[in-house]
Amino acid sequence: MITSNKEIEKVKKEFLNDGLIIRKIKDKNSLNWIKSNFEILIKEELKKRNKKFPKNFDFFNEIHKLISINELNDFRLNIFKNINKLKNFRNYYYNVAKPYLGALVGDELVMQKKINLSIQFPQDKSSLLPIHADTWDGDSPYELVVWLPLVNCFKTKSMFMLSRRYNKEFEKLYKKNKSKNFNIYKTLKNKLKWLDVKFGDVLIFNLCLPHGNIVNKELETRWSMNCRFKNLFSPYADKKLGEFFTPLELKPITKIGMSYKFPDEE
């Protein structure tokens, strides 16, 4: 947990200034549980496909050596469905970011029902996200994203983010180009920050910030997850409580209040 007021204030200030924080995960047990269960599911999926792999094969960085780009989306969806079926997966995911979420959002939170999975092969043009902000797609500006890699992510194997100080310039470009996100990317290319997020780190970012990725030009595959969190009582956009979000760790008085009915409602 974050124990000192100094550390809490540093996290808050950095997030407000930069729109993101990258921190070491304090709960290693939760991280190891997540990665080991992914490996189990990957092996099961490979066996179903009659794929043979050597004894010490790196199932994350080198998975592109066994799965073709044409197979990738089906492979990813099966892993996504099966990992989200595991009873404790959401709790462990929450645990890796919990100390920082407490400082940034509070302790009465809602969490996205299903945790997204991204797998980006080297030289794969089918897994690209042009520059965008999640608020364009029905997400509330009161949400943040917890982005968790299962491998070391760097350069084009990672993602880019546009700093808040370029917001005005970005807004002008967006109004002129509208859906032509690639033109925006080319114009702002030198101002984008490529994030270095190692396995064992967690990235938490403001989803109002423009971000995206390009073709992975590194020699390894990227595996990353992302999940949205927000305060239970903050405003929702298109994605509602009970449909997209479910509550976490409600306080006793909140539970009482949510279940209360006036006598004439009985």
Short mmCIF file of all heavy atoms in Angstrom, two decimals, residues 37-63:
data_model
loop_
_atom_site.label_atom_id
_atom_site.label_comp_id
_atom_site.label_asym_id
_atom_site.label_seq_id
_atom_site.Cartn_x
_atom_site.Cartn_y
_atom_site.Cartn_z
N ASN A 37 -1.81 -17.89 -14.95
CA ASN A 37 -3.08 -18.37 -15.50
C ASN A 37 -3.18 -18.08 -16.99
O ASN A 37 -3.78 -18.87 -17.74
CB ASN A 37 -4.25 -17.76 -14.74
CG ASN A 37 -4.57 -18.54 -13.48
OD1 ASN A 37 -5.27 -19.55 -13.51
ND2 ASN A 37 -4.03 -18.10 -12.35
N PHE A 38 -2.60 -16.98 -17.43
CA PHE A 38 -2.52 -16.73 -18.87
C PHE A 38 -1.72 -17.85 -19.54
O PHE A 38 -2.11 -18.36 -20.59
CB PHE A 38 -1.86 -15.38 -19.15
CG PHE A 38 -2.84 -14.28 -19.43
CD1 PHE A 38 -3.17 -13.35 -18.46
CD2 PHE A 38 -3.43 -14.16 -20.68
CE1 PHE A 38 -4.08 -12.34 -18.72
CE2 PHE A 38 -4.35 -13.15 -20.95
CZ PHE A 38 -4.67 -12.23 -19.96
N GLU A 39 -0.61 -18.21 -18.96
CA GLU A 39 0.24 -19.25 -19.56
C GLU A 39 -0.51 -20.58 -19.66
O GLU A 39 -0.39 -21.29 -20.67
CB GLU A 39 1.53 -19.41 -18.74
CG GLU A 39 2.54 -20.29 -19.43
CD GLU A 39 3.94 -20.16 -18.83
OE1 GLU A 39 4.35 -19.04 -18.49
OE2 GLU A 39 4.60 -21.21 -18.72
N ILE A 40 -1.27 -20.92 -18.63
CA ILE A 40 -2.07 -22.16 -18.66
C ILE A 40 -3.06 -22.12 -19.83
O ILE A 40 -3.19 -23.08 -20.59
CB ILE A 40 -2.82 -22.34 -17.32
CG1 ILE A 40 -1.84 -22.68 -16.20
CG2 ILE A 40 -3.89 -23.44 -17.44
CD1 ILE A 40 -2.42 -22.59 -14.80
N LEU A 41 -3.75 -20.99 -19.98
CA LEU A 41 -4.75 -20.86 -21.04
C LEU A 41 -4.11 -20.86 -22.44
O LEU A 41 -4.67 -21.41 -23.39
CB LEU A 41 -5.57 -19.58 -20.84
CG LEU A 41 -6.46 -19.56 -19.60
CD1 LEU A 41 -7.13 -18.19 -19.44
CD2 LEU A 41 -7.51 -20.65 -19.65
N ILE A 42 -2.94 -20.24 -22.54
CA ILE A 42 -2.23 -20.22 -23.83
C ILE A 42 -1.85 -21.64 -24.23
O ILE A 42 -2.05 -22.06 -25.38
CB ILE A 42 -0.98 -19.32 -23.75
CG1 ILE A 42 -1.38 -17.86 -23.57
CG2 ILE A 42 -0.13 -19.47 -25.02
CD1 ILE A 42 -0.23 -16.96 -23.17
N LYS A 43 -1.31 -22.40 -23.30
CA LYS A 43 -0.92 -23.79 -23.58
C LYS A 43 -2.12 -24.62 -24.01
O LYS A 43 -2.05 -25.41 -24.95
CB LYS A 43 -0.26 -24.41 -22.35
CG LYS A 43 1.13 -23.90 -22.05
CD LYS A 43 1.68 -24.54 -20.78
CE LYS A 43 3.07 -24.03 -20.45
NZ LYS A 43 3.58 -24.62 -19.18
N GLU A 44 -3.25 -24.43 -23.31
CA GLU A 44 -4.46 -25.18 -23.66
C GLU A 44 -4.93 -24.83 -25.07
O GLU A 44 -5.31 -25.72 -25.84
CB GLU A 44 -5.58 -24.86 -22.66
CG GLU A 44 -5.36 -25.45 -21.27
CD GLU A 44 -6.42 -25.03 -20.26
OE1 GLU A 44 -7.28 -24.19 -20.63
OE2 GLU A 44 -6.38 -25.54 -19.12
N GLU A 45 -4.87 -23.55 -25.40
CA GLU A 45 -5.31 -23.11 -26.73
C GLU A 45 -4.37 -23.64 -27.82
O GLU A 45 -4.82 -24.05 -28.89
CB GLU A 45 -5.36 -21.59 -26.77
CG GLU A 45 -5.98 -20.99 -28.02
CD GLU A 45 -7.44 -21.34 -28.20
OE1 GLU A 45 -8.13 -21.61 -27.20
OE2 GLU A 45 -7.90 -21.35 -29.37
N LEU A 46 -3.08 -23.65 -27.54
CA LEU A 46 -2.11 -24.17 -28.51
C LEU A 46 -2.31 -25.67 -28.73
O LEU A 46 -2.21 -26.16 -29.86
CB LEU A 46 -0.68 -23.90 -28.03
CG LEU A 46 -0.23 -22.44 -28.06
CD1 LEU A 46 1.14 -22.30 -27.42
CD2 LEU A 46 -0.22 -21.87 -29.49
N LYS A 47 -2.60 -26.39 -27.67
CA LYS A 47 -2.83 -27.84 -27.79
C LYS A 47 -4.08 -28.13 -28.61
O LYS A 47 -4.11 -29.07 -29.41
CB LYS A 47 -2.93 -28.46 -26.40
CG LYS A 47 -1.59 -28.57 -25.70
CD LYS A 47 -1.73 -29.08 -24.27
CE LYS A 47 -0.37 -29.11 -23.58
NZ LYS A 47 -0.48 -29.52 -22.15
N LYS A 48 -5.12 -27.31 -28.44
CA LYS A 48 -6.35 -27.47 -29.23
C LYS A 48 -6.05 -27.30 -30.72
O LYS A 48 -6.70 -27.89 -31.57
CB LYS A 48 -7.39 -26.42 -28.82
CG LYS A 48 -8.07 -26.70 -27.49
CD LYS A 48 -9.06 -25.58 -27.19
CE LYS A 48 -9.57 -25.66 -25.77
NZ LYS A 48 -10.42 -24.50 -25.43
N ARG A 49 -5.08 -26.46 -31.01
CA ARG A 49 -4.71 -26.17 -32.40
C ARG A 49 -3.58 -27.08 -32.90
O ARG A 49 -3.05 -26.86 -33.98
CB ARG A 49 -4.29 -24.70 -32.52
CG ARG A 49 -5.42 -23.73 -32.22
CD ARG A 49 -4.92 -22.30 -32.03
NE ARG A 49 -6.01 -21.40 -31.68
CZ ARG A 49 -6.70 -20.68 -32.56
NH1 ARG A 49 -6.39 -20.73 -33.84
NH2 ARG A 49 -7.69 -19.90 -32.15
N ASN A 50 -3.22 -28.05 -32.08
CA ASN A 50 -2.15 -29.00 -32.43
C ASN A 50 -0.82 -28.31 -32.73
O ASN A 50 -0.09 -28.70 -33.65
CB ASN A 50 -2.57 -29.86 -33.64
CG ASN A 50 -3.78 -30.73 -33.32
OD1 ASN A 50 -3.83 -31.37 -32.27
ND2 ASN A 50 -4.74 -30.74 -34.23
N LYS A 51 -0.55 -27.26 -31.96
CA LYS A 51 0.71 -26.53 -32.10
C LYS A 51 1.73 -27.10 -31.13
O LYS A 51 1.47 -27.22 -29.93
CB LYS A 51 0.51 -25.05 -31.80
CG LYS A 51 -0.56 -24.36 -32.63
CD LYS A 51 -0.07 -23.99 -34.01
CE LYS A 51 -1.12 -23.17 -34.74
NZ LYS A 51 -0.66 -22.78 -36.09
N LYS A 52 2.88 -27.45 -31.64
CA LYS A 52 3.95 -27.97 -30.79
C LYS A 52 4.89 -26.83 -30.39
O LYS A 52 5.16 -25.94 -31.20
CB LYS A 52 4.72 -29.06 -31.53
CG LYS A 52 3.87 -30.30 -31.80
CD LYS A 52 4.67 -31.38 -32.52
CE LYS A 52 3.81 -32.61 -32.78
NZ LYS A 52 4.57 -33.67 -33.50
N PHE A 53 5.37 -26.89 -29.16
CA PHE A 53 6.27 -25.84 -28.69
C PHE A 53 7.39 -26.47 -27.86
O PHE A 53 7.21 -27.47 -27.17
CB PHE A 53 5.51 -24.79 -27.86
CG PHE A 53 4.56 -25.36 -26.85
CD1 PHE A 53 4.98 -25.73 -25.59
CD2 PHE A 53 3.22 -25.53 -27.19
CE1 PHE A 53 4.09 -26.25 -24.66
CE2 PHE A 53 2.32 -26.06 -26.26
CZ PHE A 53 2.76 -26.41 -24.99
N PRO A 54 8.59 -25.88 -27.94
CA PRO A 54 9.73 -26.40 -27.18
C PRO A 54 9.56 -26.22 -25.67
O PRO A 54 8.71 -25.45 -25.21
CB PRO A 54 10.92 -25.58 -27.70
CG PRO A 54 10.32 -24.37 -28.31
CD PRO A 54 8.96 -24.74 -28.79
N LYS A 55 10.36 -26.90 -24.92
CA LYS A 55 10.24 -26.94 -23.46
C LYS A 55 10.28 -25.55 -22.82
O LYS A 55 9.47 -25.23 -21.96
CB LYS A 55 11.35 -27.82 -22.88
CG LYS A 55 11.22 -28.07 -21.40
CD LYS A 55 12.28 -29.04 -20.91
CE LYS A 55 12.12 -29.28 -19.41
NZ LYS A 55 13.16 -30.21 -18.89
N ASN A 56 11.23 -24.73 -23.21
CA ASN A 56 11.40 -23.41 -22.57
C ASN A 56 10.89 -22.27 -23.45
O ASN A 56 11.44 -21.17 -23.45
CB ASN A 56 12.87 -23.19 -22.23
CG ASN A 56 13.36 -24.18 -21.19
OD1 ASN A 56 12.68 -24.44 -20.21
ND2 ASN A 56 14.54 -24.76 -21.42
N PHE A 57 9.83 -22.53 -24.18
CA PHE A 57 9.30 -21.54 -25.11
C PHE A 57 8.73 -20.33 -24.36
O PHE A 57 8.08 -20.47 -23.32
CB PHE A 57 8.20 -22.17 -25.97
CG PHE A 57 7.67 -21.27 -27.05
CD1 PHE A 57 8.43 -20.97 -28.16
CD2 PHE A 57 6.40 -20.73 -26.94
CE1 PHE A 57 7.94 -20.14 -29.15
CE2 PHE A 57 5.89 -19.91 -27.94
CZ PHE A 57 6.67 -19.60 -29.04
N ASP A 58 8.99 -19.13 -24.89
CA ASP A 58 8.45 -17.90 -24.32
C ASP A 58 7.06 -17.66 -24.94
O ASP A 58 6.94 -17.17 -26.05
CB ASP A 58 9.38 -16.72 -24.63
CG ASP A 58 8.95 -15.42 -23.97
OD1 ASP A 58 7.77 -15.31 -23.60
OD2 ASP A 58 9.79 -14.51 -23.83
N PHE A 59 6.01 -18.03 -24.18
CA PHE A 59 4.65 -17.98 -24.72
C PHE A 59 4.13 -16.57 -24.95
O PHE A 59 3.10 -16.39 -25.60
CB PHE A 59 3.69 -18.72 -23.76
CG PHE A 59 3.94 -20.20 -23.69
CD1 PHE A 59 4.68 -20.74 -22.65
CD2 PHE A 59 3.49 -21.03 -24.69
CE1 PHE A 59 4.93 -22.09 -22.58
CE2 PHE A 59 3.73 -22.40 -24.64
CZ PHE A 59 4.46 -22.93 -23.59
N PHE A 60 4.81 -15.59 -24.45
CA PHE A 60 4.35 -14.21 -24.60
C PHE A 60 5.13 -13.49 -25.69
O PHE A 60 4.55 -13.11 -26.72
CB PHE A 60 4.45 -13.49 -23.25
CG PHE A 60 3.57 -14.12 -22.20
CD1 PHE A 60 4.07 -15.07 -21.32
CD2 PHE A 60 2.23 -13.78 -22.12
CE1 PHE A 60 3.25 -15.66 -20.37
CE2 PHE A 60 1.40 -14.37 -21.17
CZ PHE A 60 1.92 -15.31 -20.30
N ASN A 61 6.41 -13.32 -25.52
CA ASN A 61 7.19 -12.56 -26.50
C ASN A 61 7.30 -13.26 -27.86
O ASN A 61 7.48 -12.59 -28.88
CB ASN A 61 8.61 -12.32 -25.95
CG ASN A 61 8.65 -11.20 -24.94
OD1 ASN A 61 8.26 -10.07 -25.22
ND2 ASN A 61 9.11 -11.51 -23.73
N GLU A 62 7.18 -14.59 -27.88
CA GLU A 62 7.42 -15.32 -29.13
C GLU A 62 6.20 -16.05 -29.67
O GLU A 62 6.32 -16.89 -30.55
CB GLU A 62 8.56 -16.33 -28.90
CG GLU A 62 9.89 -15.68 -28.52
CD GLU A 62 11.03 -16.67 -28.41
OE1 GLU A 62 10.78 -17.80 -27.93
OE2 GLU A 62 12.14 -16.33 -28.82
N ILE A 63 5.03 -15.71 -29.20
CA ILE A 63 3.82 -16.43 -29.62
C ILE A 63 3.58 -16.32 -31.13
O ILE A 63 2.98 -17.20 -31.75
CB ILE A 63 2.58 -15.94 -28.83
CG1 ILE A 63 1.38 -16.86 -29.02
CG2 ILE A 63 2.24 -14.50 -29.20
CD1 ILE A 63 1.57 -18.25 -28.45
#
